[in-house]
Amino acid sequence: KGFRATASATTRAYCLRDSTLASSFAFRIEDAACDAPDDEPDIFDLVLCRYAAFLYCDAPGALRAADRISSRLAPGGVVLLGATDPMPRDCSLEPVPNSTNAWTLDPEADAALTSGR
């Protein structure tokens, strides 16, 4: 089922417009340029990533950010970048087949998940 989320720039909070789905989702805002905040960091099924993670740092910094993101990605998880945002070269993420700037650790597994659609 599709869902819509809204974000507040002033509170840095996210909420789902469909409250029946709220218990299935958790939102976090983190800085990919920093280490995970906990001893046992969360694992994510979906990472939405725009601009600052890769555009405003040098190549080694962008690769470190991509590695931090990929290390916390669940099996079958996906990172979505903006349509024109670059993914750093030499990172462990690979493009999801037939997608627009979606990245994963295992594109063949992701293709098998969506082949029945």
Side-chain angles (χ1 to χ4, degrees):
K1 179 177 177 182
F3 67 94
R4 299 177 91 185
T6 57
S8 167
T10 56
T11 63
R12 293 177 55 95
Y14 290 83
C15 64
L16 292 172
R17 291 184 184 176
D18 183 343
S19 61
T20 62
L21 297 173
S23 64
S24 301
F25 291 86
F27 292 94
R28 290 190 59 163
I29 298 172
E30 294 188 16
D31 186 345
C34 299
D35 289 329
D38 312 310
D39 290 335
E40 294 184 32
D42 290 328
I43 300 299
F44 298 101
D45 296 307
L46 175 65
V47 175
L48 304 174
C49 186
R50 290 289 300 197
Y51 303 117
F54 307 127
L55 286 179
Y56 300 112
C57 48
D58 60 12
L63 186 56
R64 279 192 302 276
D67 288 344
R68 285 185 180 113
I69 292 169
S70 64
S71 72
R72 298 181 60 200
L73 198 59
V78 174
V79 176
L80 294 178
L81 300 180
T84 60
D85 295 340
M87 179 60 76
R89 291 182 181 173
D90 301 324
C91 76
S92 57
L93 296 168
E94 298 183 37
V96 173
N98 303 314
S99 71
T100 301
N101 230 359
W103 300 78
T104 186
L105 293 168
D106 187 352
E108 292 177 11
D110 292 328
L113 289 172
T114 60
S115 63
R117 290 185 186 169

